[in-house]
Amino acid sequence: MLDVGFAVRANGLGVRYRRGWALRDCSFELAPGTVTALVGANGAGKSTLLRLAAGLQRPTEGVVEVSGEVGFVAQEKPLYRAFTVAEMLRFGRSTNDSWDQEYAEQLVGEARLPADAKVGSLSGGHRARLALVLALARRPQVLLLDEPLSEMDPVARETTMRALMVAVAETGLTVVLSSHVLAELEGVCDHLLLLDQGSVRLEGDVEELVEGHRVVVAARGADFGDHEVVTTREGERQVTALLRLVGPPDLPDLPEASTPALNELVVAYLRAGEAA
C-alpha cells in the first residue's frame, strides 16, 4: 500500500441522478487497517458510495480516493453461473497478478464449497461466500463489501467475519462493510460511517462515538443543558432521549443516564433522519 496516511478519502463527493441527489457533499477519511461499518436507511446512498470507491462509477462532483488495490463484492454477487467453483478460482488466478491460490483454496475449504459444483447450483449464501473468496484471494489493500452477510446463515456469518478479522490482523487490510445486521457489526467494526439521505450524518471511531453519547430518562420538560438532543421518545410522565455530549458529561440532575450500544446509537440517528 502507498504510504499516504489514509485508505479511503472523500471530499465534497456527490452523485446526481434524474430523480435527484443520491449523494451530496460527502467528506470523510478512513485510516488504513480499520474496519468501517457503512450504515444508513434504504436509499441513503451506501451502494452508490461503494461503487464510486471501487471506480465503477464517476461522481457528479467532488472526489473519492483509495490507496492501494481494491477488492469489491457488490450486493448482486456477480459470478459466472456456468462455471464450477474450481473454474472460478482458475479465472481469478488468470486475471489477477496478486492472486494467492493457496489462500483461495483455504477459504473455499473453510466455507465447505464443493470444487466441482456449478455456481448456479449454489445457494445464495454459498455464492456470497465464493464472491468473498475471490475478493480476498486478490490480496487487496482495501476491501469494499455491499451487504455481504445478507444471504448467509448464522454459522456462515460468524465464519466469514472471522476470516475478515484474520485478514485485517495479518495484512492490515482495510474493510468497508455495508450491512443492516447491526448486532453483528458491534465488536467487529472500529469505525462508523452513517449516511442519511445521501450525506454523512455521523462518522468516527466507534468507541469515541459511543462514549460521546448518553441515553437518559428524565421528566418531561427536563433541561439537557448544552448537550445536543439527537432524538426523544416521550411517555406520559417521562422522556427517553439520546444526547450527543457537548463538553464533559455533566448530567447531575439526570441519574438514569447510560452509554448507548452501537445499535442504539445508529437506530436513534436513523429515526432522527426520518423525523427530519
Side-chain angles (χ1 to χ4, degrees):
M1 180 184 290
L2 300 176
D3 186 15
V4 293
F6 70 90
V8 184
R9 180 168 64 187
N11 185 22
L13 189 64
V15 172
R16 183 183 178 94
Y17 299 122
R18 288 185 178 180
R19 65 181 185 274
W21 290 92
L23 287 175
R24 190 72 190 273
D25 195 27
C26 287
S27 299
F28 60 87
E29 184 171 310
L30 308 180
T34 53
V35 180
T36 296
L38 175 60
V39 300
N42 291 331
K46 303 185 298 296
S47 295
T48 299
L49 176 57
L50 291 175
R51 286 195 299 271
L52 290 168
L56 300 177
Q57 186 173 344
R58 290 185 177 181
T60 305
E61 62 184 22
V63 63
V64 59
E65 302 171 90
V66 180
S67 62
E69 294 295 323
V70 180
F72 177 49
V73 177
Q75 195 168 0
E76 300 79 15
K77 317 295 188 299
L79 298 167
Y80 292 107
R81 298 177 69 88
F83 282 19
T84 65
V85 171
E87 288 169 341
M88 284 302 310
L89 296 191
R90 285 198 292 272
F91 175 79
R93 182 173 56 188
S94 66
T95 54
N96 294 280
D97 293 337
S98 58
W99 183 262
D100 187 335
Q101 181 67 18
E102 183 178 352
Y103 183 42
E105 292 174 356
Q106 172 193 326
L107 293 174
V108 163
E110 291 174 356
R112 298 183 179 180
L113 297 173
D116 59 349
K118 295 280 189 180
V119 171
S121 71
L122 298 176
S123 67
H126 277 162
R127 285 197 298 273
R129 298 287 297 277
L130 179 57
L132 185 58
V133 168
L134 294 171
L136 282 170
R138 295 181 63 241
R139 290 297 190 182
Q141 283 78 47
V142 177
L143 183 60
L144 309 172
L145 304 174
D146 194 358
E147 294 289 346
L149 308 176
S150 60
E151 296 180 279
M152 297 183 190
D153 61 54
V155 174
R157 289 176 178 175
E158 181 182 354
T159 305
T160 297
M161 294 307 297
R162 188 186 311 121
L164 285 175
M165 293 306 100
V166 169
V168 170
E170 292 181 348
T171 69
L173 175 69
T174 301
V175 179
V176 183
L177 191 158
S178 167
S179 178
H180 290 296
V181 190
L182 297 177
E184 295 182 351
L185 301 182
E186 194 156 13
V188 173
C189 296
D190 50 28
H191 202 85
L192 178 70
L193 182 59
L194 190 152
L195 297 182
D196 179 27
Q197 299 182 52
S199 298
V200 177
R201 180 73 171 88
L202 189 66
E203 188 254 336
D205 178 86
V206 167
E207 186 173 332
E208 293 178 359
L209 289 174
V210 167
E211 288 298 326
H213 291 78
R214 291 292 185 275
V215 177
V216 299
V217 179
R220 296 184 66 175
D223 181 10
F224 298 126
D226 294 331
H227 303 304
E228 177 189 348
V229 179
V230 178
T231 187
T232 59
R233 297 195 307 274
E234 294 191 357
E236 291 185 4
R237 298 182 180 180
Q238 293 181 318
V239 60
T240 301
L242 177 73
L243 305 182
R244 186 168 190 172
L245 302 179
V246 178
D250 184 18
L251 301 168
D253 298 326
L254 301 171
E256 293 189 57
S258 61
T259 302
L262 177 60
N263 182 64
E264 288 182 284
L265 186 67
V266 169
V267 170
Y269 271 88
L270 293 180
R271 284 177 175 164
E274 289 181 354

